[in-house]
Coordinates of all heavy atoms in Angstrom, one line a residue:
M15 N -8.7 4.1 10.4 CA -8.7 3.2 9.2 C -10.2 3.1 8.8 O -11.0 2.6 9.5 CB -8.2 1.8 9.5 CG -6.7 1.9 9.9 SD -6.5 0.7 11.3 CE -4.7 0.5 11.2
E16 N -10.4 3.6 7.5 CA -11.8 3.6 7.1 C -11.8 3.6 5.5 O -11.0 4.3 4.9 CB -12.6 4.8 7.6 CG -14.1 4.7 7.4 CD -14.8 5.7 8.3 OE1 -14.2 6.7 8.7 OE2 -16.0 5.5 8.5
D17 N -12.7 2.8 5.0 CA -12.7 2.7 3.5 C -11.4 2.4 2.9 O -11.0 3.0 1.9 CB -13.3 4.0 2.9 CG -14.8 4.3 3.4 OD1 -15.5 3.2 3.6 OD2 -15.1 5.4 3.4
N18 N -10.7 1.5 3.5 CA -9.3 1.1 3.1 C -8.4 2.2 2.9 O -7.6 2.3 1.9 CB -9.4 0.2 1.7 CG -10.0 -1.1 2.0 OD1 -9.5 -1.9 2.9 ND2 -11.0 -1.5 1.2
A19 N -8.4 3.1 3.8 CA -7.5 4.3 3.9 C -7.2 4.7 5.3 O -8.0 4.4 6.2 CB -8.1 5.5 3.1
F20 N -6.1 5.4 5.5 CA -5.9 6.0 6.8 C -6.5 7.4 6.8 O -6.2 8.2 5.9 CB -4.3 6.1 7.0 CG -3.7 4.8 7.1 CD1 -2.9 4.3 6.1 CD2 -3.8 4.0 8.3 CE1 -2.2 3.1 6.2 CE2 -3.2 2.7 8.3 CZ -2.4 2.3 7.3
Q21 N -7.4 7.6 7.7 CA -8.1 8.9 7.8 C -8.0 9.4 9.2 O -8.6 8.8 10.1 CB -9.5 8.7 7.3 CG -9.7 8.2 5.9 CD -11.1 8.1 5.4 OE1 -12.0 8.8 6.1 NE2 -11.4 7.4 4.4
P22 N -7.4 10.6 9.4 CA -6.7 11.4 8.4 C -5.4 10.7 7.9 O -4.9 9.8 8.6 CB -6.4 12.7 9.1 CG -6.3 12.4 10.5 CD -7.3 11.2 10.7
G23 N -4.9 11.1 6.8 CA -3.7 10.5 6.3 C -2.5 11.0 7.0 O -2.2 10.6 8.1
N24 N -1.8 11.9 6.3 CA -0.6 12.4 7.0 C -0.8 13.2 8.2 O -1.7 14.1 8.2 CB 0.3 13.2 5.9 CG 0.6 12.4 4.7 OD1 0.6 11.2 4.8 ND2 1.0 13.0 3.7
L25 N 0.0 13.0 9.2 CA -0.1 13.7 10.5 C 1.2 14.4 10.8 O 2.2 13.9 10.5 CB -0.4 12.7 11.6 CG -1.7 12.0 11.7 CD1 -1.7 11.1 12.9 CD2 -2.8 13.0 11.8
R26 N 1.0 15.6 11.4 CA 2.2 16.3 11.9 C 1.9 16.5 13.4 O 0.9 17.2 13.8 CB 2.4 17.7 11.2 CG 3.6 18.4 11.6 CD 3.8 19.5 10.5 NE 5.0 20.3 10.8 CZ 5.1 21.4 11.6 NH1 4.0 21.9 12.1 NH2 6.2 22.0 11.8
I27 N 2.8 15.9 14.3 CA 2.5 15.9 15.7 C 3.8 16.3 16.4 O 4.9 16.3 15.9 CB 2.1 14.5 16.2 CG1 3.1 13.5 15.8 CG2 0.7 14.2 15.5 CD1 2.9 12.1 16.4
M28 N 3.6 16.7 17.7 CA 4.7 17.0 18.5 C 5.3 15.8 19.2 O 4.5 14.8 19.5 CB 4.3 18.0 19.6 CG 5.3 18.9 20.1 SD 4.6 20.3 21.1 CE 4.2 19.5 22.6
A29 N 6.6 15.7 19.4 CA 7.2 14.6 20.1 C 6.5 14.4 21.4 O 6.2 15.3 22.1 CB 8.7 14.9 20.2
G30 N 6.3 13.1 21.7 CA 5.6 12.7 23.0 C 4.2 12.5 22.8 O 3.5 12.0 23.7
T31 N 3.7 12.8 21.6 CA 2.2 12.6 21.3 C 1.9 11.1 21.0 O 2.7 10.4 20.5 CB 1.8 13.4 20.0 OG1 2.1 14.7 20.3 CG2 0.4 13.2 19.7
T32 N 0.8 10.7 21.5 CA 0.3 9.3 21.3 C -0.7 9.3 20.2 O -1.6 10.1 20.2 CB -0.3 8.7 22.6 OG1 0.8 8.6 23.6 CG2 -0.8 7.3 22.3
V33 N -0.5 8.5 19.2 CA -1.5 8.4 18.1 C -2.2 7.0 18.2 O -1.6 6.0 18.5 CB -0.8 8.5 16.7 CG1 -1.8 8.2 15.6 CG2 -0.1 9.8 16.6
T34 N -3.6 7.1 18.1 CA -4.3 5.9 18.2 C -5.0 5.6 16.8 O -5.5 6.5 16.2 CB -5.5 6.0 19.2 OG1 -4.9 6.2 20.5 CG2 -6.3 4.8 19.3
W35 N -4.8 4.4 16.3 CA -5.5 3.9 15.1 C -6.6 3.1 15.5 O -6.4 2.1 16.3 CB -4.5 3.1 14.2 CG -3.5 3.9 13.5 CD1 -3.6 4.4 12.2 CD2 -2.2 4.4 13.9 NE1 -2.4 5.1 11.8 CE2 -1.6 5.1 12.9 CE3 -1.5 4.3 15.2 CZ2 -0.3 5.7 13.0 CZ3 -0.2 4.9 15.3 CH2 0.3 5.6 14.2
R36 N -7.7 3.3 14.9 CA -8.9 2.5 15.1 C -9.4 2.1 13.8 O -9.5 2.8 12.8 CB -10.0 3.3 15.9 CG -11.2 2.4 16.2 CD -12.3 3.2 17.0 NE -11.7 3.8 18.2 CZ -11.6 3.3 19.4 NH1 -12.0 2.0 19.5 NH2 -11.1 3.9 20.4
N37 N -9.8 0.8 13.7 CA -10.3 0.3 12.4 C -11.8 0.3 12.3 O -12.5 -0.4 13.1 CB -9.8 -1.2 12.2 CG -10.1 -1.8 10.9 OD1 -10.6 -1.1 10.0 ND2 -9.8 -3.0 10.7
F38 N -12.3 1.0 11.4 CA -13.8 1.1 11.2 C -14.2 0.1 10.0 O -15.4 0.2 9.7 CB -14.2 2.5 10.9 CG -14.1 3.4 12.1 CD1 -12.9 4.2 12.3 CD2 -15.1 3.5 13.1 CE1 -12.8 5.0 13.4 CE2 -14.9 4.3 14.2 CZ -13.8 5.1 14.4
D39 N -13.3 -0.6 9.4 CA -13.6 -1.4 8.3 C -13.9 -2.9 8.8 O -13.4 -3.3 9.8 CB -12.4 -1.5 7.3 CG -12.4 -0.2 6.4 OD1 -13.5 0.4 6.3 OD2 -11.3 0.1 5.9
P40 N -14.6 -3.6 7.9 CA -14.9 -5.0 8.3 C -13.7 -5.9 8.0 O -13.7 -7.1 8.4 CB -16.1 -5.4 7.4 CG -16.1 -4.4 6.3 CD -15.5 -3.2 6.8
V41 N -12.7 -5.4 7.4 CA -11.5 -6.2 7.1 C -10.4 -5.7 8.0 O -10.3 -4.5 8.4 CB -11.0 -6.2 5.6 CG1 -12.1 -6.8 4.7 CG2 -10.7 -4.8 5.2
A42 N -9.4 -6.6 8.3 CA -8.3 -6.2 9.2 C -7.3 -5.4 8.5 O -7.0 -5.6 7.4 CB -7.7 -7.5 9.8
H43 N -6.7 -4.4 9.3 CA -5.6 -3.6 8.8 C -4.5 -3.5 9.8 O -4.7 -3.9 11.0 CB -6.2 -2.1 8.6 CG -7.2 -1.9 7.6 ND1 -7.0 -2.3 6.3 CD2 -8.5 -1.5 7.6 CE1 -8.1 -2.0 5.6 NE2 -9.0 -1.5 6.4
T44 N -3.3 -3.0 9.4 CA -2.2 -2.7 10.2 C -1.8 -1.3 9.9 O -2.0 -0.8 8.8 CB -1.0 -3.6 10.1 OG1 -0.3 -3.3 8.9 CG2 -1.4 -5.1 10.0
A45 N -1.1 -0.7 10.9 CA -0.3 0.5 10.6 C 1.2 0.1 10.9 O 1.5 -0.2 12.1 CB -0.7 1.7 11.4
T46 N 2.0 -0.1 9.9 CA 3.3 -0.6 10.0 C 4.4 0.3 9.4 O 4.2 0.6 8.2 CB 3.4 -2.0 9.3 OG1 2.3 -2.8 9.7 CG2 4.7 -2.7 9.4
E47 N 5.3 0.7 10.2 CA 6.3 1.6 9.7 C 7.2 0.9 8.7 O 7.4 -0.3 8.8 CB 7.1 2.1 10.9 CG 7.9 3.4 10.7 CD 9.3 3.1 10.1 OE1 9.9 2.0 10.4 OE2 9.8 4.0 9.4
R48 N 7.6 1.7 7.6 CA 8.3 1.1 6.5 C 9.6 0.2 7.0 O 9.8 -0.8 6.4 CB 8.9 2.1 5.6 CG 7.8 2.7 4.7 CD 7.7 2.0 3.5 NE 6.4 2.3 2.8 CZ 5.6 1.5 2.2 NH1 6.0 0.2 2.0 NH2 4.5 1.9 1.7
G49 N 10.3 0.8 8.0 CA 11.4 0.0 8.5 C 11.1 -0.9 9.6 O 12.0 -1.4 10.3
E50 N 9.8 -1.1 9.8 CA 9.3 -1.9 10.9 C 9.8 -1.5 12.3 O 10.0 -2.3 13.2 CB 9.5 -3.4 10.6 CG 8.9 -3.8 9.3 CD 8.8 -5.3 9.1 OE1 9.4 -6.1 9.9 OE2 8.3 -5.7 8.1
E51 N 9.9 -0.1 12.4 CA 10.3 0.4 13.7 C 9.1 0.3 14.7 O 9.3 0.1 15.9 CB 10.7 1.9 13.6 CG 12.2 2.1 13.3 CD 12.5 3.6 13.5 OE1 12.3 4.1 14.7 OE2 13.0 4.2 12.6
W52 N 7.9 0.3 14.1 CA 6.7 0.2 15.0 C 5.6 -0.4 14.1 O 5.6 -0.4 12.9 CB 6.3 1.5 15.6 CG 6.2 2.7 14.8 CD1 7.2 3.6 14.5 CD2 5.1 3.0 13.9 NE1 6.8 4.5 13.6 CE2 5.5 4.2 13.2 CE3 3.9 2.5 13.7 CZ2 4.6 4.9 12.3 CZ3 3.0 3.1 12.7 CH2 3.4 4.3 12.1
D53 N 4.7 -1.1 14.8 CA 3.6 -1.8 14.1 C 2.4 -1.9 15.0 O 2.6 -2.3 16.2 CB 4.2 -3.1 13.7 CG 3.2 -4.0 12.9 OD1 2.1 -3.5 12.5 OD2 3.5 -5.1 12.6
T54 N 1.3 -1.6 14.6 CA 0.1 -1.8 15.5 C -0.3 -3.3 15.6 O -1.0 -3.6 16.4 CB -1.1 -1.1 14.9 OG1 -1.4 -1.6 13.6 CG2 -0.9 0.4 14.8
G55 N 0.2 -4.1 14.7 CA -0.3 -5.5 14.6 C -1.7 -5.4 13.9 O -2.2 -4.4 13.5
M56 N -2.2 -6.6 13.6 CA -3.5 -6.7 12.9 C -4.6 -6.2 13.8 O -4.8 -6.7 14.9 CB -3.8 -8.1 12.5 CG -2.8 -8.6 11.4 SD -3.2 -7.9 9.8 CE -4.4 -9.1 9.2
L57 N -5.4 -5.3 13.2 CA -6.6 -4.7 14.0 C -7.8 -5.1 13.2 O -8.0 -4.8 12.1 CB -6.5 -3.2 14.1 CG -5.2 -2.6 14.7 CD1 -5.2 -1.1 14.7 CD2 -5.2 -3.1 16.2
G58 N -8.7 -5.8 13.9 CA -10.0 -6.2 13.3 C -11.0 -5.0 13.5 O -10.6 -4.0 14.0
E59 N -12.2 -5.2 12.9 CA -13.2 -4.2 13.0 C -13.4 -3.7 14.5 O -13.6 -4.6 15.3 CB -14.5 -4.6 12.4 CG -15.5 -3.6 12.4 CD -16.8 -4.0 11.6 OE1 -16.9 -5.2 11.4 OE2 -17.5 -3.1 11.2
G60 N -13.3 -2.5 14.7 CA -13.6 -1.9 16.0 C -12.4 -1.9 17.0 O -12.4 -1.4 18.1
E61 N -11.3 -2.6 16.5 CA -10.1 -2.6 17.4 C -9.2 -1.4 17.2 O -9.3 -0.8 16.1 CB -9.3 -3.9 17.1 CG -10.1 -5.1 17.5 CD -9.3 -6.4 17.3 OE1 -8.5 -6.6 16.3 OE2 -9.4 -7.3 18.2
S62 N -8.4 -1.2 18.2 CA -7.5 0.0 18.1 C -6.2 -0.3 18.7 O -6.1 -1.3 19.5 CB -8.1 1.3 18.7 OG -8.4 1.1 20.1
A63 N -5.2 0.5 18.4 CA -3.8 0.4 19.0 C -3.2 1.7 19.0 O -3.5 2.6 18.1 CB -3.0 -0.6 18.2
S64 N -2.4 2.0 20.0 CA -1.8 3.3 20.1 C -0.2 3.2 20.1 O 0.3 2.2 20.6 CB -2.2 4.0 21.5 OG -3.6 4.1 21.5
I65 N 0.4 4.2 19.5 CA 1.8 4.3 19.5 C 2.2 5.7 20.0 O 1.6 6.7 19.6 CB 2.4 4.2 18.0 CG1 1.8 2.9 17.3 CG2 3.9 4.3 18.0 CD1 2.6 1.6 17.6
T66 N 3.2 5.7 20.9 CA 3.7 7.0 21.3 C 5.0 7.4 20.7 O 5.9 6.5 20.6 CB 3.9 7.0 22.9 OG1 2.7 6.7 23.5 CG2 4.5 8.3 23.4
F67 N 5.1 8.6 20.1 CA 6.2 9.0 19.3 C 7.1 9.9 20.2 O 6.9 11.1 20.3 CB 5.8 9.7 18.1 CG 5.1 8.8 17.1 CD1 3.7 8.6 17.2 CD2 5.8 8.1 16.1 CE1 3.1 7.7 16.4 CE2 5.2 7.2 15.3 CZ 3.8 7.0 15.4
A68 N 8.1 9.3 20.7 CA 9.0 10.0 21.6 C 10.0 10.9 20.9 O 10.4 12.0 21.4 CB 9.8 9.1 22.6
E69 N 10.4 10.5 19.7 CA 11.5 11.1 19.0 C 11.0 11.8 17.7 O 10.2 11.2 17.0 CB 12.6 10.1 18.7 CG 13.3 9.6 19.9 CD 14.5 8.7 19.6 OE1 15.0 8.8 18.5 OE2 14.8 7.8 20.4
A70 N 11.6 12.9 17.4 CA 11.3 13.6 16.2 C 11.7 12.8 15.0 O 12.7 12.0 15.1 CB 11.9 15.0 16.1
G71 N 11.0 12.9 13.9 CA 11.4 12.1 12.7 C 10.2 12.0 11.8 O 9.1 12.5 12.1
S72 N 10.5 11.4 10.6 CA 9.4 11.2 9.6 C 9.2 9.8 9.4 O 10.2 9.0 9.1 CB 9.8 11.9 8.3 OG 8.7 11.9 7.4
Y73 N 8.0 9.3 9.6 CA 7.7 7.9 9.6 C 6.7 7.6 8.5 O 5.5 7.9 8.7 CB 7.2 7.4 11.0 CG 8.2 7.7 12.1 CD1 8.0 8.9 12.9 CD2 9.2 6.9 12.4 CE1 8.9 9.2 13.9 CE2 10.1 7.1 13.4 CZ 10.0 8.3 14.2 OH 10.8 8.6 15.2
D74 N 7.1 6.9 7.5 CA 6.2 6.4 6.5 C 5.7 5.1 6.9 O 6.5 4.2 7.3 CB 6.8 6.3 5.1 CG 7.2 7.6 4.5 OD1 6.3 8.5 4.4 OD2 8.3 7.9 4.2
Y75 N 4.4 4.9 6.7 CA 3.8 3.6 7.2 C 2.8 3.1 6.2 O 2.3 3.9 5.3 CB 3.3 3.6 8.6 CG 2.0 4.5 8.8 CD1 0.8 3.9 8.8 CD2 2.1 5.8 9.0 CE1 -0.4 4.7 9.0 CE2 1.0 6.6 9.2 CZ -0.3 6.0 9.2 OH -1.4 6.8 9.3
Y76 N 2.4 1.9 6.3 CA 1.5 1.2 5.4 C 0.7 0.1 6.1 O 1.0 -0.1 7.2 CB 2.2 0.7 4.2 CG 3.1 -0.5 4.4 CD1 2.8 -1.8 3.9 CD2 4.2 -0.4 5.2 CE1 3.5 -2.9 4.2 CE2 5.0 -1.6 5.5 CZ 4.7 -2.7 5.0 OH 5.4 -3.8 5.2
C77 N -0.2 -0.5 5.3 CA -0.9 -1.6 5.9 C -0.4 -2.9 5.2 O -0.4 -3.0 4.0 CB -2.4 -1.4 5.6 SG -3.4 -2.9 5.9
I78 N 0.0 -3.8 6.0 CA 0.6 -5.0 5.5 C -0.3 -5.8 4.5 O 0.0 -6.1 3.4 CB 1.1 -6.0 6.6 CG1 2.3 -5.3 7.3 CG2 1.4 -7.4 6.0 CD1 2.8 -6.1 8.5
P79 N -1.6 -6.0 4.8 CA -2.5 -6.7 3.8 C -2.9 -5.8 2.6 O -3.3 -6.4 1.6 CB -3.8 -7.0 4.6 CG -3.4 -6.9 6.1 CD -2.3 -5.8 6.1
H80 N -2.8 -4.5 2.7 CA -3.2 -3.6 1.7 C -2.1 -2.6 1.5 O -2.2 -1.4 2.0 CB -4.5 -2.9 2.0 CG -5.5 -3.8 2.5 ND1 -5.9 -3.9 3.9 CD2 -6.3 -4.7 1.9 CE1 -6.8 -4.8 4.0 NE2 -7.1 -5.3 2.8
P81 N -1.0 -2.9 0.8 CA 0.2 -2.0 0.7 C -0.1 -0.7 0.0 O 0.7 0.2 0.2 CB 1.2 -2.8 -0.1 CG 0.7 -4.3 0.0 CD -0.8 -4.2 0.1
D82 N -1.3 -0.6 -0.7 CA -1.6 0.7 -1.2 C -2.1 1.7 -0.2 O -2.2 2.9 -0.4 CB -2.7 0.6 -2.3 CG -2.1 0.0 -3.6 OD1 -0.9 0.0 -3.7 OD2 -2.9 -0.5 -4.4
M83 N -2.4 1.2 1.0 CA -2.8 2.1 2.1 C -1.5 2.6 2.7 O -0.7 1.9 3.2 CB -3.5 1.3 3.2 CG -5.0 1.0 2.9 SD -5.7 0.0 4.3 CE -5.7 1.2 5.6
R84 N -1.3 3.9 2.6 CA 0.0 4.5 3.0 C -0.3 5.9 3.6 O -1.2 6.6 3.2 CB 0.9 4.7 1.8 CG 1.6 3.5 1.3 CD 2.3 3.8 0.0 NE 1.5 3.8 -1.1 CZ 1.8 3.6 -2.4 NH1 3.1 3.4 -2.6 NH2 1.0 3.7 -3.4
A85 N 0.5 6.2 4.5 CA 0.5 7.6 5.1 C 1.8 7.9 5.8 O 2.7 7.0 5.8 CB -0.7 7.7 6.0
R86 N 1.9 9.0 6.5 CA 3.1 9.4 7.1 C 2.8 10.1 8.4 O 1.8 10.9 8.5 CB 3.9 10.4 6.2 CG 5.1 11.0 6.8 CD 5.8 12.0 5.9 NE 6.3 11.2 4.7 CZ 6.7 11.8 3.6 NH1 6.6 13.1 3.5 NH2 7.1 11.1 2.6
V87 N 3.6 9.9 9.4 CA 3.6 10.6 10.7 C 4.9 11.4 10.7 O 6.0 10.9 10.7 CB 3.5 9.7 11.9 CG1 3.5 10.5 13.2 CG2 2.2 8.9 11.9
E88 N 4.7 12.7 10.8 CA 5.8 13.6 11.0 C 5.9 14.1 12.4 O 4.9 14.7 12.9 CB 5.8 14.8 10.0 CG 7.0 15.7 10.0 CD 6.9 16.9 9.2 OE1 5.8 17.1 8.5 OE2 7.8 17.7 9.2
V89 N 7.0 13.8 13.1 CA 7.1 14.1 14.5 C 8.1 15.3 14.6 O 9.2 15.1 14.2 CB 7.5 12.9 15.3 CG1 7.6 13.3 16.8 CG2 6.6 11.8 15.1
V90 N 7.6 16.4 15.2 CA 8.5 17.6 15.3 C 8.7 17.9 16.7 O 7.9 17.5 17.6 CB 7.9 18.8 14.5 CG1 7.7 18.5 13.1 CG2 6.5 19.1 15.2
P91 N 9.9 18.5 17.1 CA 10.2 18.8 18.5 C 9.1 19.7 19.1 O 8.8 19.6 20.3 CB 11.5 19.5 18.5 CG 12.1 19.2 17.1 CD 11.0 19.0 16.2
S92 N 8.6 20.7 18.3 CA 7.5 21.6 18.8 C 6.7 22.1 17.7 O 7.2 22.1 16.5 CB 8.1 22.7 19.6 OG 8.8 23.6 18.7
L93 N 5.4 22.4 17.9 CA 4.6 22.9 16.9 C 4.6 24.4 16.9 O 4.3 25.0 17.9 CB 3.1 22.4 17.1 CG 2.9 20.9 16.9 CD1 1.5 20.6 17.4 CD2 3.1 20.5 15.5
D94 N 5.0 25.0 15.8 CA 5.1 26.4 15.7 C 3.8 27.0 15.3 O 3.1 26.4 14.5 CB 6.2 26.9 14.7 CG 7.6 26.4 15.2 OD1 7.8 26.4 16.5 OD2 8.4 25.9 14.4
Ligands
LIG118 CU1 -5.4 -2.7 5.3

């Protein structure tokens, strides 16, 4: 999370991968799945949280305080 954006934005990862979000901004952000299947909770400057994606699927997420911050994690069974 940097400059009020998820960087990098969309990710394509293999099932079982752990993704870590770290906040480089002075304001707090979250990474929250649209259906609230997962949520990092509020992360202040310098804080981070990790989510492990066990199952394949496409997960759109956003930041609760800044709904214009959006991205997607695509989890695939294997990377070809
Ligand atoms: Cu935010």
